[in-house]
Amino acid sequence: MSEMEEEAADVICELENVQGLVDALTAVRWKRHQDAVLELSEHGIVLIVEESGCLQAKVYLKKELFIRYDYNAEGRPRFGVSLGLFVDCLNAFSVPGHSSLIQIQYPGPDMQVLLKSVDSLDASICAEIRTRIPDTIAWDYNFEPAGTNPLTFTVKSAALKEAIEDLEWPGSSIQITMEPNPPSVTLRAEGHGDLQIDFMYCANSDLLVAFQCDHRVSFKYKYKFLRASTSNMPSSVIKENRGSKLSIGRGGMLKVQHLVSISKPISHSYVDSAGYQQPGRIAHIEFFVKPEENED
């Protein structure tokens, strides 16, 4: 790559752990053919996918995730890519148990995304991904609290995934109810019968690790959209089981948040003495699910 091409690029970034990036992007890949919009800024990269105006997911890749992040654009460039193609190309650079250094550049001479391995002694792997002018995002929801106090709970990620899988009924909806007294969260599915899972909150709770609710709320969500928020949760998230945060906002909008580690697989240099990773090494994933109808 020439110096002129580098100078013309809106962004050039380098990342140590390709597999962590693959995990984060796979988490929002709920069907085979999906288009994604990438938005670049001086703060990092945001990838957005959506479906039917009822489900939207965002992956936040802050610039601190990268060992190099050169941003030269004016404004915030946006472009569209095939999410499946992007993930498959990144996978080609991932070697299990090895920290692969990859460079990502946009745009190339023909407005493409350029991927290149930069630490291989034997050979250099390169890939080009065509981009397109992105469609207008149907809805970019500004999540607003339902009241003065947030309605939110944090449940162990593995338990959340298992609960949603257990509640599957063909074409069904899931009703999520939060009760302040006794403090609890109920997930209920209706099909040929009723199935209900209760998470009770108490000081030593192993599953429901945080809870905030000052009045009863209950909303229904289409099962396929709720399932998309957990169905491709990376194994690293299940293994670490740190917790997924769910919040109910104004009008019943549901926000589901996961944290995915992007740290080097063979290094512990980013983990402090308490065992927590530095915030810069975590990718934030958010799903927004619109409710079917108001119950209250």
Side-chain angles (χ1 to χ4, degrees):
M1 187 187 303
S2 70
E3 288 186 13
M4 286 185 63
E5 286 177 330
E6 286 208 5
E7 288 177 5
D10 287 342
V11 67
I12 297 175
C13 53
E14 294 180 358
L15 183 73
E16 290 173 298
N17 181 15
V18 182
Q19 188 55 50
L21 180 56
V22 169
D23 285 348
L25 299 184
T26 300
V28 300
R29 189 182 179 185
W30 56 77
K31 62 182 183 181
R32 186 176 180 86
H33 299 292
Q34 262 178 294
D35 291 324
V37 173
L38 275 79
E39 182 177 283
L40 311 177
S41 76
E42 66 274 20
H43 305 296
I45 301 170
V46 181
L47 179 137
I48 308 165
V49 290
E50 66 175 10
E51 182 175 338
S52 309
C54 295
L55 171 66
Q56 186 182 86
K58 294 183 177 182
V59 180
Y60 295 90
L61 304 169
K62 295 183 179 180
K63 67 178 183 179
E64 289 82 8
L65 281 174
F66 304 91
I67 60 171
R68 174 189 179 189
Y69 191 84
D70 296 340
Y71 184 76
N72 305 303
E74 293 183 8
R76 294 193 170 192
R78 291 162 71 106
F79 58 90
V81 296
S82 161
L83 178 59
L85 182 60
F86 192 27
V87 170
D88 290 345
C89 285
L90 288 168
N91 250 328
F93 293 83
S94 178
V95 180
H98 175 68
S99 180
S100 309
L101 189 62
I102 184 176
Q103 183 182 91
I104 303 172
Q105 175 187 333
Y106 175 82
D110 295 315
M111 302 302 291
Q112 70 272 57
V113 177
L114 303 177
L115 307 177
K116 184 176 73 171
S117 61
V118 293
D119 64 344
S120 175
L121 299 176
D122 318 313
S124 178
I125 305 174
C126 299
E128 295 185 5
I129 303 173
R130 283 186 179 182
T131 65
R132 56 173 177 75
I133 298 173
D135 297 328
T136 303
I137 297 296
W139 54 286
D140 199 359
Y141 193 83
N142 181 23
F143 187 85
E144 298 176 357
T148 51
N149 297 316
L151 300 168
T152 180
F153 62 96
T154 301
V155 62
K156 289 293 182 71
S157 299
L160 176 65
K161 178 178 171 66
E162 184 178 344
I164 292 176
E165 288 175 349
D166 288 346
L167 290 171
E168 182 171 9
W169 290 100
S172 69
S173 301
I174 302 293
Q175 185 169 356
I176 298 179
T177 302
M178 295 182 70
E179 295 269 10
N181 189 24
S184 61
V185 178
T186 300
L187 279 65
R188 176 183 174 134
E190 296 179 359
H192 298 296
D194 293 341
L195 190 59
Q196 182 170 307
I197 295 176
D198 297 312
F199 292 106
M200 305 302 294
Y201 181 65
C202 53
N204 60 350
S205 175
D206 291 330
L207 297 179
L208 194 59
V209 294
F211 181 88
Q212 191 170 359
C213 171
D214 60 2
H215 65 279
R216 182 185 185 275
V217 289
S218 186
F219 291 95
K220 282 186 178 180
Y221 304 90
K222 193 169 283 294
Y223 179 80
K224 68 175 183 178
F225 295 145
L226 196 59
R227 184 179 182 275
S229 69
T230 61
S231 59
N232 291 311
M233 196 181 286
S235 58
S236 60
V237 174
I238 300 296
K239 185 178 178 181
E240 294 171 6
N241 211 14
R242 67 175 82 222
S244 297
K245 183 179 180 181
L246 290 81
S247 306
I248 296 177
R250 183 173 296 174
M253 177 67 72
L254 179 68
K255 178 165 68 172
V256 184
Q257 297 170 284
H258 308 301
L259 303 176
V260 178
S261 171
I262 312 283
S263 64
K264 291 169 64 177
I266 57 174
S267 169
H268 300 286
S269 58
Y270 302 112
V271 180
D272 66 17
S273 58
Y276 294 104
Q277 293 189 351
Q278 294 178 3
R281 295 292 166 174
I282 298 293
H284 294 253
I285 300 175
E286 292 182 348
F287 290 85
F288 297 92
V289 187
K290 283 188 176 178
E292 282 196 314
E293 59 187 51
N294 289 8
E295 291 293 304
D296 290 351

